[in-house]
Amino acid sequence: MHEYSIATEIYDSAIRVAEENHATSVSAIELEIGELAMINCDQLTFCIESIVKGTLFEGAELKIAEIKAEIRCGCGYTGKAADDSMRSYLICPQCNAPAELIRGREIIIREITICT
Amino acid sequence: MHLTIPIGSDIFDANRRHANKNRKLFESHGVTAINIMGAIGSGKTTLIELAIKHLGEQCRIGVIAGDVVADIDASRFKKYGVPTIARNTGKECHLDAHLVDHAIPKLPLTNLDLVFIENVGNLICPTDFELGEHKRAVIVSVSEGDDIVSKHPMIFLSSDLVIVNKVDISEFVGADPDKMVNDAKTIKPNITTLNTSAKTGDGINAWINWIKACMQDNTVKP
Ligand SMILES: Nc1nc2c(ncn2[C@@H]2O[C@H](COP(=O)(O)OP(=O)(O)OP(=O)(O)O)[C@@H](O)[C@H]2O)c(=O)[nH]1
Ligand SMILES: [Mg+2]
Ligand SMILES: [Zn+2]
């Protein structure tokens, strides 16, 4: 899987913001990851920790929250899938029609806490 | 002083922006780009080769080949005399818009009508990474087993065409290509489906016609 490249992307985006804000160090970084983003959070944590060695981010606390998948259907249903099989994320639990997955695949940098 | 700075940006947004830039670049040269995804060994290179054989006289084709390490697939395309750029992805399991961006300037876009981008063989990772393509085709073969489509719904959801290849050997491997096609239709009712065999030539005309239709669609777009 691509945890390492995702970790690099996260670091690149976050460091840009930290530098723009004249950070001298970063104390926390908070991510939100969709449960269907196909990311292994332990691996991601490991990758980020190795990337940030010797940078402004070294020692920052990494918080990862999960974004639950949500689906929407033409019948008006919005909410959870029937169960957590891959299949069920595409089918409306209310009317069995093909539904749209509207949340659960994102990888978001929510915020960073910096010291200036 | 401690300061919390909200960011809220999606990592995939950066890739998407890059992809849109690539797409515009293709379009400004009248080039149609097709992202060829699929399982390892399912026949991605073979089906692109067949397209080059059938369409090479009528339109000018280029290829971006996303090999993981070597340039084995790229050298297969070069044999046909088509401009080919090998994109080594290293350890990566997918192409992303950035890698494709680096390949594009090496292609003679002004002299091309159609670009195939062969993705890395993988049914999971390429899904979320748009490259700047106009259409996505996903190729699986019967030898992956006829559950392969329902095991990996997301990639089918994001594709315009699914090809079930190697139907010539379906009896030997005990897989039902019709089940695979039906599974894809269940996941995405409006997906186009084709059963093909590069060995017997079954379905190859339909594959060629699908490509022609993509190019047509692209030229009529405002
Ligand atoms: N029997 C049979 N073999 C096929 C067919 N299509 C491709 N093959 C064979 O399958 C093998 C893999 O084909 P490729 O076209 O290299 O597959 P690929 O998807 O590009 O493979 P990677 O790029 O390595 O993931 C080759 O030996 C092909 O000759 C087919 O329709 N029937
Ligand atoms: Mg190949
Ligand atoms: Zn419904």
Side-chain angles (χ1 to χ4, degrees):
Chain A
M1 291 298 292
H2 44 261
E3 279 74 4
Y4 189 80
S5 63
I6 295 292
T8 312
E9 297 271 351
I10 290 170
Y11 172 73
D12 288 349
S13 298
I15 194 82
R16 204 177 319 124
V17 175
E19 282 171 358
E20 278 164 14
N21 289 278
H22 313 291
T24 53
S25 69
V26 179
S27 58
I29 172 160
E30 201 174 314
L31 308 177
E32 287 179 332
I33 298 189
E35 61 175 319
L36 300 179
M38 301 291 180
I39 290 296
N40 177 321
C41 290
D42 291 338
Q43 272 184 38
L44 183 71
T45 303
F46 177 78
C47 293
I48 292 178
E49 279 169 359
S50 37
I51 289 172
V52 301
K53 286 220 173 78
T55 73
L56 290 183
F57 280 81
E58 181 156 1
E61 184 192 0
L62 181 63
K63 291 181 248 178
I64 302 181
E66 186 183 63
I67 302 175
K68 286 283 173 201
E70 208 172 276
I71 60 180
R72 181 167 60 199
C73 173
C75 75
Y77 179 84
T78 305
K80 286 203 296 206
D83 56 66
D84 60 3
S85 67
M86 263 301 180
R87 234 15 211 279
S88 74
Y89 292 112
L90 308 174
I91 294 167
C92 174
Q94 196 164 278
C95 72
N96 283 322
E100 188 194 351
L101 184 65
I102 53 170
R103 266 162 76 82
R105 306 189 70 188
E106 41 296 77
I107 300 176
I108 295 173
I109 310 175
R110 182 48 56 208
E111 60 184 37
I112 58 175
T113 304
I114 62 170
C115 310
T116 52
Chain B
M1 193 177 70
H2 279 257
L3 198 61
T4 295
I5 305 165
I7 303 181
S9 65
D10 193 323
I11 286 300
F12 294 120
D13 283 346
N15 184 71
R16 223 169 277 130
R17 274 195 302 274
H18 232 118
N20 288 337
K21 188 184 135 208
N22 294 348
R23 193 175 295 112
K24 288 216 178 74
L25 192 58
F26 284 129
E27 278 165 12
S28 68
H29 291 87
V31 171
T32 301
I34 304 179
N35 182 358
I36 307 287
M37 307 180 293
I40 293 183
S42 59
K44 297 179 294 298
T45 304
T46 308
L47 285 163
I48 298 171
E49 288 178 302
L50 282 168
I52 296 169
K53 277 187 209 161
H54 281 79
L55 290 168
E57 308 269 280
Q58 304 159 45
C59 66
R60 299 163 300 174
I61 301 174
V63 185
I64 297 171
D67 278 316
V68 179
V69 278
D71 55 356
I72 297 170
D73 283 353
S75 48
R76 277 168 69 181
F77 298 124
K78 281 181 187 153
K79 280 198 194 119
Y80 297 90
V82 297
T84 302
I85 307 302
R87 271 324 307 182
N88 281 356
T89 55
K91 287 189 255 337
E92 274 313 322
C93 40
H94 60 270
L95 284 173
D96 63 27
H98 192 76
L99 285 168
V100 170
D101 182 12
H102 283 289
I104 293 176
K106 298 186 183 134
L107 279 174
L109 278 196
T110 11
N111 302 318
L112 294 179
D113 307 305
L114 176 63
V115 168
F116 289 105
I117 308 170
E118 181 176 342
N119 219 310
V120 180
N122 184 323
L123 289 176
I124 300 171
C125 309
T127 310
D128 288 320
F129 295 89
E130 281 178 40
L131 306 177
E133 67 274 34
H134 297 97
K135 297 280 178 186
R136 293 184 146 202
V138 54
I139 301 172
V140 289
S141 80
V142 294
S143 57
E144 284 102 56
D146 57 18
D147 287 335
I148 191 79
V149 176
S150 49
K151 280 179 188 160
H152 300 284
M154 294 305 166
I155 195 163
F156 297 92
L157 197 60
S158 77
S159 295
D160 303 290
L161 170 72
V162 54
I163 294 182
V164 176
N165 189 32
K166 307 193 190 179
V167 292
D168 56 295
I169 57 165
S170 40
E171 272 174 40
F172 304 112
V173 296
D176 176 5
D178 293 335
K179 175 191 183 302
M180 299 170 79
V181 157
N182 287 335
D183 284 349
K185 285 273 185 202
T186 310
I187 293 163
K188 186 176 186 182
N190 63 346
I191 199 168
T192 306
T193 63
L194 290 177
N195 286 349
T196 60
S197 165
K199 278 269 146 33
T200 65
D202 273 2
I204 299 304
N205 277 336
W207 161 230
I208 302 303
N209 288 335
W210 181 83
I211 299 167
K212 285 186 188 163
C214 290
M215 296 175 68
Q216 197 77 37
D217 275 5
N218 209 27
T219 49
V220 296
K221 253 203 318 219

